[in-house]
Amino acid sequence: MQEISSDISRPSLSGLDRASLAARLSAIGVPDKQLRMRVNQIWSWLYTHGTRDFDAMTNVSKDVRAALREHYTLDRLEIADAQFSDDGTRKWLFKMNDGQLVETVYIPEAGRGTLCVSSQVGCTLTCRFCHTGTQKLVRNLEVAEIVGQVVSARDELQDWPGDTNQSNTGNRRITNVVMMGMGEPLYNAENVAHALNVMSDGDGLGLSKRRITLSTSGVVPEIPKIGADTGVMLAISLHAVKDELRNELVPLNKKYPIEELLDACRQWPSLSNAKRITFEYVMLKDVNDSNADARALVKLLAGIPAKINLIPFNPWPGAPYECSSWERIEAFADIVNRAGYASPVRRPRGRDIMAACGQLKSASVKPTAAAKKMAELASRNLTR
Ligand code: SAH
Ligand code: SF4
């Protein structure tokens, strides 16, 4: 009995940042003067090799390995469900230690592969076109739970050095990370910043900062700090050119209106043509998709090194909008292109498994409701 309970209480080292890893090592008696070396050694096993067994850490002394095994694990996030789309997109539902669920999506493309990572369970914001925004249950993810999504995806995709990897992306399947899963990353800015720095650490996961993109609906006061702290790329969920409409689509706009948001963008560190900001614009039929909107968009962004990413609206059950027609999207894209902006239309991926932008909504609320019902039925049966 005792063994089982001590097993459950052994925390995992997988997903931790350097400071937390050092604290864990200190706690099991690794002397201060060895800490840096041990952190570096274990870091490399965790994030360069994806090691799942302390015994494989051959450059760590046997005593330390034994202490590590006694107190910690290298367990990954639990995979509650995995789905494959016909187009190759994969979606995982991860279960956290407290039973909360989040989704992560992998999108393979020619020459690259993008992992779409979540920052929160649900989202406190309520953008009207977004399925995640309808999820009631919300909490911030820990650093290890954010990094853990990348580690688990590498496991599942056999994307560690030495794994058999048939990918056409050179040596890695995951080449890019976008913080575009569930949640508003800048409402969990501190953990997200630490997690992004673990992902871009050259001695570990080693993702290029230019290939990591943080998307925000516009939490203006947090923008400069995360820029300075991480050096990653920025994407802004703009979706409307006038405050009146943006207030409706992205209610956070009432707090931080468009002009303030664009001012924050202008301050983004090392903003240049080589490091442009992406403006995301969801195409909603008869709402924000006219030629006049396209022209106003171009005018609004004048002077900001920008890319415009047009996202066909991805429907979900009960959504109050429809996607613009392809002709409309093309006409809109044409105007934006002619003004000199690259404006790729984001091809919807994984719609058949509800993995496309804005479709993520982990069923965290549902089991609780179902469990309540079960309990109710059970108690009725018992009292009968
Ligand atoms: N909370 C952050 C990141 C997650 S959403 C943000 O809002 O930026 C990632 C992107 O998907 C955002 O640009 C968001 O506006 C967009 N999106 C949300 N719902 C969508 C839907 N139903 N169809 C298409 N894009 C959607
Ligand atoms: Fe939250 Fe982003 Fe969805 Fe808005 S679009 S509700 S900020 S996840």
Side-chain angles (χ1 to χ4, degrees):
M1 245 349 252
Q2 250 190 342
E3 252 177 48
I4 293 172
S5 65
S6 77
D7 249 346
I8 289 168
S9 65
R10 277 189 310 159
S12 175
L13 299 183
S14 181
L16 296 183
D17 58 17
R18 282 177 190 273
S20 310
L21 187 55
R24 296 273 195 217
L25 297 188
S26 255
I28 59 164
V30 173
D32 281 357
K33 59 178 187 331
Q34 275 187 24
L35 258 188
R36 217 182 134 87
M37 173 190 70
R38 295 292 183 215
V39 167
N40 286 342
Q41 289 172 330
I42 296 168
W43 188 262
S44 164
W45 291 112
L46 288 178
Y47 299 126
T48 307
H49 301 285
T51 304
R52 305 187 77 144
D53 180 356
F54 287 117
D55 281 334
M57 301 184 173
T58 42
N59 58 351
V60 178
S61 72
K62 281 203 171 142
D63 291 355
V64 174
R65 270 181 342 210
L68 287 170
R69 213 175 313 110
E70 191 184 334
H71 296 279
Y72 302 120
T73 72
L74 295 169
D75 287 352
R76 312 300 215 241
L77 301 176
E78 185 185 331
I79 299 176
D81 193 20
Q83 281 177 281
F84 289 79
S85 161
D86 293 341
D87 68 14
T89 301
R90 296 173 69 157
K91 180 167 90 168
W92 296 280
L93 180 68
F94 290 113
K95 192 177 193 175
M96 312 290 129
N97 284 339
D98 64 353
Q100 299 288 356
L101 300 161
V102 288
E103 293 181 315
T104 307
V105 178
Y106 174 68
I107 307 146
E109 287 170 287
R112 68 182 200 169
T114 303
L115 193 71
C116 180
V117 171
S118 293
S119 56
Q120 299 183 305
V121 175
C123 185
T124 44
L125 299 177
T126 51
C127 302
R128 283 201 70 197
F129 48 84
C130 176
H131 201 202
T132 311
T134 66
Q135 187 170 324
K136 291 278 180 299
L137 222 61
V138 180
R139 82 157 165 83
N140 281 339
L141 294 185
E142 301 292 338
V143 177
E145 293 169 335
I146 302 170
V147 175
Q149 296 171 60
V150 181
V151 170
S152 291
R154 274 214 175 147
D155 291 342
E156 291 303 294
L157 295 166
Q158 301 208 309
D159 202 24
W160 298 107
D163 284 341
T164 0
N165 181 348
Q166 304 298 324
S167 105
N168 59 356
T169 58
N171 52 2
R172 277 292 147 82
R173 283 198 164 139
I174 301 171
T175 57
N176 293 51
V177 164
V178 292
M179 294 304 297
M180 293 187 189
M182 300 166 68
E184 170 47 59
L186 294 190
Y187 274 154
N188 186 16
E190 207 177 318
N191 288 350
V192 167
H194 287 308
L196 294 182
N197 287 331
V198 176
M199 294 178 206
S200 66
D201 190 298
D203 295 325
L205 290 169
L207 282 146
S208 154
K209 291 179 178 202
R210 282 168 176 262
R211 288 172 173 266
I212 300 178
T213 304
L214 178 134
S215 174
T216 178
S217 56
V219 188
V220 168
E222 297 291 342
I223 291 176
K225 185 163 178 356
I226 198 124
D229 289 352
T230 66
V232 301
M233 307 295 283
L234 179 67
I236 299 285
S237 294
L238 189 63
H239 308 316
V241 289
K242 292 210 177 98
D243 282 324
E244 199 186 352
L245 178 60
R246 196 164 189 272
N247 286 344
E248 194 185 310
L249 300 179
V250 184
L252 185 67
N253 193 71
K254 291 181 211 151
K255 207 162 171 191
Y256 308 117
I258 295 175
E259 225 9 86
E260 279 182 35
L261 179 56
L262 296 183
D263 271 346
C265 290
R266 290 187 190 96
Q267 320 287 325
W268 187 251
S270 65
L271 184 58
S272 63
N273 272 332
K275 247 189 131 193
R276 287 175 289 175
I277 293 177
T278 300
F279 288 89
E280 299 164 278
Y281 196 97
V282 63
M283 298 298 294
L284 304 172
K285 187 178 179 187
D286 299 331
V287 174
N288 64 354
D289 62 352
S290 70
N291 286 350
D293 287 317
R295 286 191 291 267
L297 177 60
V298 167
K299 221 166 145 189
L300 188 68
L301 299 183
I304 302 178
K307 267 187 279 190
I308 295 168
N309 201 334
L310 302 179
I311 316 176
F313 170 66
N314 293 308
W316 39 272
Y321 299 107
E322 281 177 68
C323 183
S324 311
S325 69
W326 283 106
E327 296 75 40
R328 187 84 302 275
I329 296 176
E330 274 170 13
F332 196 104
D334 245 22
I335 294 175
V336 173
N337 280 330
R338 265 187 274 123
Y341 289 97
S343 64
V345 176
R346 195 180 288 174
R347 201 155 53 95
R349 298 290 302 266
R351 270 187 181 175
D352 55 338
I353 55 166
M354 290 290 284
C357 300
Q359 290 186 318
L360 303 184
K361 176 176 177 176
S362 58
S364 329
V365 190
K366 280 187 204 146
T368 322
K372 268 192 200 145
K373 186 107 190 165
M374 294 266 287
E376 203 182 293
L377 286 174
S379 77
R380 260 194 245 156
N381 283 342
L382 281 176
T383 49
R384 215 176 263 163

